[in-house]
Structure formats: structure tokens, C-alpha cells
Amino acid sequence: MNNIHLEPSKPEIRKAVDRNELLEYSRYILLKDLHIELYKIIKDKERTCRDNIFLLLRKQNNDKAIEHLGKLNSMRTEINDLNNTRDKFYAHLDPDYSNFLKGFKVNDYYKLFELIEKGIIILGLKAELMSSLESLTSRNDFKLAE
């Protein structure tokens, strides 16, 4: 619904969604849910969700897990931007919410998803991850550019 990396590019898709009240609202709801669920995985705090990648990697406490925590921490700015968007826009709609939408970059999601997937593999859950991914529609079905 955003024309992200479509090959070939089709900006008319985004325009059609913007003109359709139901599709535009659906896009908003999907992004809201994505922010709220992703927040549980990437919010690095002491008391957190049992699916939090930082918590799980710290419990693993081996060289690969520690190295991967460093990679996640190298994206601290992007993680904070995503968490602030969740906190200030989707969850609470603060009066200055527009200030927090400026850091929103879809490519940051892709980078984080890759790091989360690698973290899942480090945790020894590659078979479960691959099984889950097999049930998803392939990126290639939509002719997405790499």
C-alpha cells in the first residue's frame, strides 16, 4: 500500500490507496500494529516482554550473542526513533507527535527485521524461524526489488 521497492515502480498504487478511505485507514492500522508489536521486541529495558531480543540475547550470554547485541546497539538511534513514533504517535498521540514522525524510515524496519532474524538464529531457533517464514507470501510474488 506504499509502493515500497516495487519493480517496476507503481506510484499509482500509493495514490489509489490515499484516495480510498478504507485502504488508507487500513494502512494506518497496519503501521500502528507493527509499531506496537515491534516495540515489544526492540525496547531495551529491564522489565520487558518475554520476546524481547535484547533480553533473550543477554540470557544466551555467548560470544555470538554478545557480538549481535553490539550490532543491535549500533542501531540505537533508529530503534529510539521507532520507539518514539510508537510512544508519541500511535500509542498516545502527543500534541507534538509530528516531531516524532520525522525519524520514520521504512528501510530502518528492514535493517531491524534482519537483525532480529539473525538474533533468532543465534538463539538456536533457526528451524522454527524457517518454518514460520515458509508460511508467508514470498517477496518475489510481488516482484519486489532487492
Side-chain angles (χ1 to χ4, degrees):
M1 292 196 295
N2 278 310
N3 188 36
I4 299 169
H5 302 303
L6 279 177
E7 185 74 30
S9 180
K10 295 182 182 178
E12 64 271 15
I13 291 174
R14 173 70 188 248
K15 289 177 186 173
V17 169
D18 288 344
R19 286 189 306 267
N20 183 299
E21 193 174 335
L22 177 62
L23 291 177
E24 184 180 41
Y25 182 69
S26 296
R27 178 178 53 212
Y28 169 80
I29 294 298
L30 289 168
L31 283 170
K32 180 179 182 177
D33 194 40
L34 174 69
H35 275 87
I36 289 170
E37 295 305 317
L38 188 58
Y39 181 92
K40 295 173 188 176
I41 296 169
I42 63 171
K43 179 70 174 175
D44 190 13
K45 59 183 182 179
E46 285 191 32
R47 284 203 256 181
T48 190
C49 173
R50 65 184 174 100
D51 296 330
N52 183 276
I53 195 69
F54 290 96
L55 176 72
L56 293 169
L57 287 169
R58 285 188 188 108
K59 284 182 181 177
Q60 190 77 12
N61 195 23
N62 62 40
D63 290 342
K64 284 185 178 183
I66 293 167
E67 179 183 345
H68 200 68
L69 281 167
K71 290 177 183 177
L72 283 164
N73 281 318
S74 74
M75 290 196 66
R76 181 64 52 203
T77 300
E78 294 85 351
I79 289 171
N80 288 342
D81 286 344
L82 293 169
N83 288 337
N84 282 334
T85 300
R86 179 262 182 206
D87 287 342
K88 306 298 183 178
F89 180 65
Y90 288 111
H92 306 293
L93 196 58
D94 288 10
D96 59 345
Y97 72 88
S98 62
N99 295 336
F100 298 97
L101 297 178
K102 293 175 184 166
F104 175 85
K105 295 181 185 111
V106 173
N107 283 339
D108 292 343
Y109 290 112
Y110 294 138
K111 293 174 195 172
L112 274 173
F113 289 151
E114 288 176 12
L115 287 173
I116 291 166
E117 286 178 355
K118 288 178 185 174
I120 291 169
I121 291 169
I122 290 169
L123 293 168
L125 301 169
K126 184 176 182 176
E128 291 87 342
L129 173 64
M130 293 304 157
S131 174
S132 294
L133 292 176
E134 284 176 13
S135 68
L136 300 176
T137 304
S138 169
R139 289 176 52 94
N140 297 330
D141 290 348
F142 298 103
K143 298 184 180 176
L144 295 175
E146 294 298 320

